Amino acid sequence: MSDKKKNWPLWEVFVRSKNGLEHRHFGSLHAADAEMALENARDVYTRRNEGVSIWVVESKHITASNPSDNGELFEPAQDKVYRHPTFYDLPDEVKHM
Amino acid sequence: MNQNLYHYILTIADTNLILGQRLGELCGHGPSLETDIALTNISLDLIGQTRSYFQYAASLFDEEKTEDDIAFLRKEREYRNVLLVEQPNTHFGYVMARQFLFDVFHLMFLRELENSKDETLAAIAKKGIKEASYHRRFSSDWIKRLGDGTEESHTKIQEAVNNLWRYTNELFQMTEADVAMVKEGVGVNLEALKEPYYETVSEVLKEATLEVPERKYFQKGGKEGIHTEHMGYLLSDLQYMQRAFPDMKW
Amino acid sequence: MSDKEVKNLEEMFEACIARDEKIEPKDWMPEKYRQTHIRQISQHAHSEIVGMLPEGNWITRAPSLRRKAALLAKVQDEAGHGLYLYSACETLGISREELYEQLHSGKAKYSSIFNYPTITWADIGAIGWLVDGAAIINQVPLCNTSFGPYARAMVRVCKEESFHQRQGYEIMLTLCNGTEEQKAMAQDALNRWWWPSLMMFGPTDAESTHTEQSMKWKLKRKTNDELRQQFIDQTVPQADILGITVPDPDLKWNDERGHYDFGEIDWDEFWQVVKGHGPCNKERLNARVSAWEEGEWVRDAAMAYAEKQEERKATTKKAS
């Protein structure tokens, strides 16, 4: 075939295991359209009753941070210890805080 | 034994069994891994339903019988499935057209059977409705993709629809068992499903830019055990182990 | 990047793995790491989908409805496993189509075990028991491998795989508790599958080329010979329970070693099958190639339809 071939694009699948939990990334698959991606995700990732809700998004629509930026993105948070409850000293008598 | 009830169950169950068997042939040979997994799921649903029906049928006998005795040990003339489901997997278009033409009927049928006075059948139907709804959605989507896809796919799916069309009318044929079971409030009045069926099927076909074939020249016989030539080969596979090694546990 | 900078990165990379940290797809990695992983993960994925064929053979002939359903579910799982693994491989920057191309052209390998024919129902039992048993031994350590997507795929695979071995053993057990004919069928299957199963662990350590590097990257935790020994030690007692005989006259418990001693593997046969001259290499590959080629019009149709739908959506938006 001369013209360039279009293959089914890649989709990322997110599944909510049960109500109350967030959707979690489960994996990916190939599908021609969103409806097919949803159906395939159901068949591939919830065969054993693993989910109650599915999100699919075409992989190309995900913007990811670059690991080479990790220094500037994530390290500044490391010394902000005052964001964590253990930073603050309270007398033992104060319970449940 | 209630012969009419037994025959009634057989017609439903055999249709599930034979379609499940046909889909089982495809495992590992589909156009993509994802479709392979999906078709296997449908096959598993159908085999699961078959087992429920046959277990019920087996319980009707005075002597001891199992689901497998009924599934594997009858002669071709004793299988009562409709001709549609025994048609071969000529290509993916045939697989999807066969599935779609059956699924639309199957869902309508189960929705009625759910109201059966027979509690076992009603319970099996209730569980099956969820599965059949998904099957119908899956196959309808594919009919649209193939019909409104490329020129090649349009031609292929139209050819499949045209060739399988002659087997659709049999879905609504009332056998002696059907008539008796409807009278008892157990069975489904198939004739009442006919118009809604063709309406739904036509709608989807039109949306898929396909032509709806004319409603004449239909085939029948499956429900009386008169099958197409494909059936014998299918049964040779299905029954191979039970025939070659009779009376053993597996 | 200068050579020195690359060397520096490589040291950091190796240190990261040594600390048991995972490598994720967008992290920097040595080209050799990427290539090795593409090769191993894809080989693993190919094995899953080629592995569907010998077992798929028996779906239509399964002797009971219960067995039919279990086998369908098992073969379907293998498709699922192939899919997880292809997806993991794709994160390394290669498409599934390219991976298929490598399989179809014979460039990529898959597990040789699937080049043996399944000629009786007992073979389905033997595959579940022996082949899946061997696969589990190979795969469990990979749940902790260094490449994140591969490790996660393997966790899922291993979780699902455990039912496979059990259903295989149950088939064998039923046969061995059955008639003489059934028991003979089980023995015959063990005779044919035993040696090829031992070959699944690959050449002996002395002959194996990738071991050291693979150990470092946690693609391997134990050597081929160690894993093979583990398999034999765990499987022989299971054969005893079945009451069938492992086809190896040299097989004997060695008290001193605390392991079974076993006979010489026919490595000529091993290499012959690896090189493409096993009983079913051609059939397996042909089946994969025709499924792919005959499915082309279907995949194209779905793409064309999706594009039309997109266009339609765009025009309705414009109009409104």
Side-chain angles (χ1 to χ4, degrees):
Chain A
M1 212 164 285
S2 55
D3 56 334
K4 65 176 190 311
K5 189 113 196 118
K6 282 211 176 140
N7 293 310
W8 290 3
L10 195 65
W11 297 72
E12 300 301 322
V13 179
F14 300 82
V15 177
R16 186 202 295 288
S17 318
K18 60 177 187 186
N19 276 1
L21 296 179
E22 65 275 68
H23 285 78
R24 201 164 60 78
H25 184 234
F26 258 47
S28 34
L29 48 77
H30 288 264
D33 55 60
E35 186 59 30
M36 192 198 285
L38 212 52
E39 288 170 6
N40 288 346
R42 175 258 193 194
D43 289 328
V44 173
Y45 289 105
T46 65
R47 314 200 280 293
R48 287 181 170 79
N49 212 7
E50 292 98 331
V52 295
S53 161
I54 301 175
W55 290 346
V56 290
V57 57
E58 212 180 317
S59 308
K60 69 174 185 202
H61 294 312
I62 291 181
T63 310
S65 67
N66 195 325
S68 64
D69 297 338
N70 278 10
E72 59 186 75
L73 287 178
F74 307 118
E75 278 168 30
Q78 281 171 7
D79 61 0
K80 310 274 191 307
V81 284
Y82 42 80
R83 290 196 203 274
H84 299 278
T86 46
F87 179 71
Y88 303 95
D89 284 326
L90 292 185
D92 290 345
E93 298 87 80
V94 183
K95 288 175 183 156
H96 309 300
M97 186 180 281
Chain B
M1 185 175 74
N2 183 339
Q3 201 66 31
N4 279 327
L5 178 59
Y6 179 62
H7 283 158
Y8 189 69
I9 300 171
L10 285 189
T11 307
I12 310 171
D14 286 346
T15 294
N16 279 313
L17 171 67
I18 301 304
L19 186 54
Q21 173 80 0
R22 274 287 184 233
L23 292 171
E25 293 170 11
L26 289 169
C27 200
H29 305 278
S32 80
L33 263 185
E34 284 83 354
T35 30
D36 252 6
I37 294 173
L39 290 176
T40 312
N41 258 357
I42 296 178
S43 177
L44 274 171
D45 286 343
L46 293 171
I47 301 285
Q49 292 176 22
T50 305
R51 293 186 64 190
S52 306
Y53 288 123
F54 281 155
Q55 281 160 12
Y56 182 35
S59 75
L60 300 177
F61 284 83
D62 296 327
E63 70 266 26
E64 197 166 315
K65 251 201 196 302
T66 68
E67 60 183 60
D68 290 329
D69 295 335
I70 302 178
F72 295 96
L73 294 177
R74 282 174 290 146
K75 299 277 183 338
E76 177 173 336
R77 290 285 275 107
E78 294 164 324
Y79 283 83
R80 295 173 163 254
N81 56 284
V82 292
L83 301 176
L84 175 67
V85 295
E86 69 199 47
Q87 300 311 306
N89 304 322
T90 311
H91 58 56
F92 191 78
Y94 277 84
V95 174
M96 276 305 143
R98 185 183 63 203
Q99 196 62 41
F100 167 67
L101 293 173
F102 174 67
D103 290 343
V104 173
F105 164 79
H106 195 203
L107 182 59
M108 285 176 170
F109 173 77
L110 291 177
R111 280 187 176 145
E112 291 304 316
L113 190 65
E114 192 189 7
N115 305 318
S116 170
K117 274 188 189 158
D118 183 306
E119 283 174 16
T120 312
L121 288 180
I124 299 173
K126 193 171 176 207
K127 184 168 169 285
I129 287 173
K130 294 182 189 129
E131 296 170 342
S133 313
Y134 182 76
H135 302 169
R136 205 195 84 166
R137 169 178 159 169
F138 180 84
S139 58
S140 307
D141 282 349
W142 268 106
I143 294 295
K144 290 177 217 163
R145 287 191 192 103
L146 298 177
D148 196 11
T150 63
E151 214 170 290
E152 183 184 9
S153 71
H154 180 90
T155 313
K156 282 192 147 132
I157 188 68
Q158 183 73 64
E159 167 209 315
V161 169
N162 291 351
N163 282 329
L164 294 173
W165 190 254
R166 59 195 151 140
Y167 301 115
T168 52
N169 194 54
E170 191 194 8
L171 293 163
F172 310 99
Q173 182 202 340
M174 296 284 282
T175 63
E176 220 176 283
D178 283 298
V179 175
M181 286 298 106
V182 169
K183 225 179 252 170
E184 288 182 35
V186 169
V188 174
N189 181 3
L190 298 174
E191 275 160 4
L193 302 180
K194 191 167 174 172
E195 285 316 310
Y197 171 86
Y198 282 109
E199 221 168 88
T200 308
V201 166
S202 306
E203 244 168 63
V204 177
L205 291 180
K206 279 179 199 152
E207 206 190 324
T209 71
L210 293 168
E211 269 174 47
V212 182
E214 265 185 281
R215 275 161 71 178
K216 54 181 184 183
Y217 306 126
F218 287 118
Q219 297 294 321
K220 60 176 183 177
K223 289 181 175 181
E224 283 105 43
I226 302 167
H227 293 278
T228 55
E229 288 180 349
H230 306 292
M231 185 69 171
Y233 296 100
L234 183 147
L235 289 181
S236 313
D237 269 0
L238 180 76
Q239 301 186 339
Y240 167 64
M241 288 297 292
Q242 293 272 349
R243 295 294 185 199
F245 307 94
D247 299 323
M248 298 183 200
K249 282 205 165 51
W250 300 97
Chain C
M1 225 182 288
S2 73
D3 287 354
K4 199 176 156 204
E5 278 171 313
V6 171
K7 195 153 179 279
N8 205 0
L9 277 172
E10 264 180 40
E11 273 166 22
M12 277 161 56
F13 177 84
E14 299 292 348
C16 179
I17 293 182
R19 283 195 305 273
D20 246 341
E21 283 172 27
K22 298 281 185 239
I23 306 300
E24 294 296 340
K26 291 187 73 158
D27 292 340
W28 182 88
M29 59 184 78
E31 194 47 30
K32 194 169 170 219
Y33 182 90
R34 183 187 303 276
Q35 292 309 332
T36 304
H37 276 78
I38 289 178
R39 200 189 61 227
Q40 171 156 342
I41 302 171
S42 67
Q43 190 170 322
H44 196 159
H46 297 327
S47 300
E48 294 284 355
I49 61 161
V50 175
M52 295 169 73
L53 301 168
E55 291 178 279
N57 246 343
W58 280 88
I59 289 173
T60 57
R61 291 176 294 170
S64 73
L65 292 179
R66 176 172 174 268
R67 292 287 180 213
K68 194 188 285 291
L71 185 57
L72 265 167
K74 189 194 166 195
V75 179
Q76 183 192 43
D77 271 353
E78 273 148 20
H81 297 171
L83 197 151
Y84 306 154
L85 289 160
Y86 282 123
S87 301
C89 203
E90 282 176 88
T91 65
L92 289 164
I94 186 164
S95 69
R96 194 190 293 176
E97 288 73 23
E98 288 171 287
L99 293 169
Y100 277 163
E101 176 52 38
Q102 292 179 354
L103 172 68
H104 297 164
S105 68
K107 187 177 163 228
K109 298 271 177 271
Y110 55 88
S111 181
S112 276
I113 192 81
F114 302 118
N115 291 318
Y116 289 86
T118 47
I119 53 178
T120 72
W121 171 249
D123 291 6
I124 300 307
I127 287 185
W129 172 38
L130 301 171
V131 176
D132 290 318
I136 291 170
I137 287 179
N138 271 329
Q139 288 169 358
V140 166
L142 290 173
C143 296
N144 290 313
T145 192
S146 64
F147 185 54
Y150 193 25
R152 289 192 287 276
M154 288 318 298
V155 168
R156 200 177 284 276
V157 168
C158 287
K159 217 160 69 189
E160 297 181 351
E161 195 90 30
S162 58
F163 114 73
H164 296 180
Q165 198 190 6
R166 290 175 75 107
Q167 69 102 32
Y169 194 72
E170 195 199 71
I171 290 174
M172 294 302 275
L173 202 59
T174 312
L175 293 174
C176 290
N177 290 333
T179 62
E180 278 308 308
E181 208 177 2
Q182 283 173 302
K183 198 165 175 183
M185 195 191 277
Q187 178 67 58
D188 171 57
L190 175 59
N191 293 349
R192 283 179 291 108
W193 290 92
W194 174 255
W195 291 105
S197 299
L198 297 191
M199 294 177 198
M200 282 178 73
F201 298 95
T204 57
D205 296 348
E207 300 259 331
S208 179
T209 42
H210 311 293
T211 301
E212 201 186 326
Q213 181 78 87
S214 301
M215 291 276 185
K216 218 163 68 185
W217 289 340
K218 298 178 180 164
L219 277 170
K220 247 189 186 157
R221 291 269 155 122
K222 291 180 181 171
T223 69
N224 293 355
D225 287 334
E226 284 170 334
L227 292 169
R228 188 167 11 245
Q229 185 71 58
Q230 184 187 336
F231 174 74
I232 293 170
D233 290 349
Q234 111 184 11
T235 309
V236 172
Q238 294 167 354
D240 292 342
I241 294 173
L242 293 174
I244 48 180
T245 314
V246 173
D248 178 359
D250 297 322
L251 187 81
K252 211 175 137 217
W253 178 254
N254 182 327
D255 236 351
E256 215 168 289
R257 289 204 311 130
H259 291 296
Y260 281 94
D261 291 336
F262 55 97
E264 183 68 26
I265 291 170
D266 181 353
W267 293 111
D268 288 343
E269 177 182 322
F270 174 79
W271 290 113
Q272 181 179 336
V273 183
V274 170
K275 285 178 183 147
H277 306 290
C280 301
N281 296 58
K282 290 200 171 54
E283 287 80 355
R284 301 293 184 244
L285 217 48
N286 284 346
R288 285 312 317 165
V289 172
S290 23
W292 185 246
E293 286 174 354
E294 283 160 22
E296 188 177 1
W297 70 271
V298 178
R299 297 190 302 276
D300 289 351
M303 259 339 272
Y305 177 75
E307 278 163 12
K308 281 188 205 172
Q309 292 293 91
E310 282 299 315
E311 274 165 34
R312 278 171 204 151
K313 242 192 250 164
T315 24
T316 10
K317 241 188 213 159
K318 249 185 227 159
S320 65

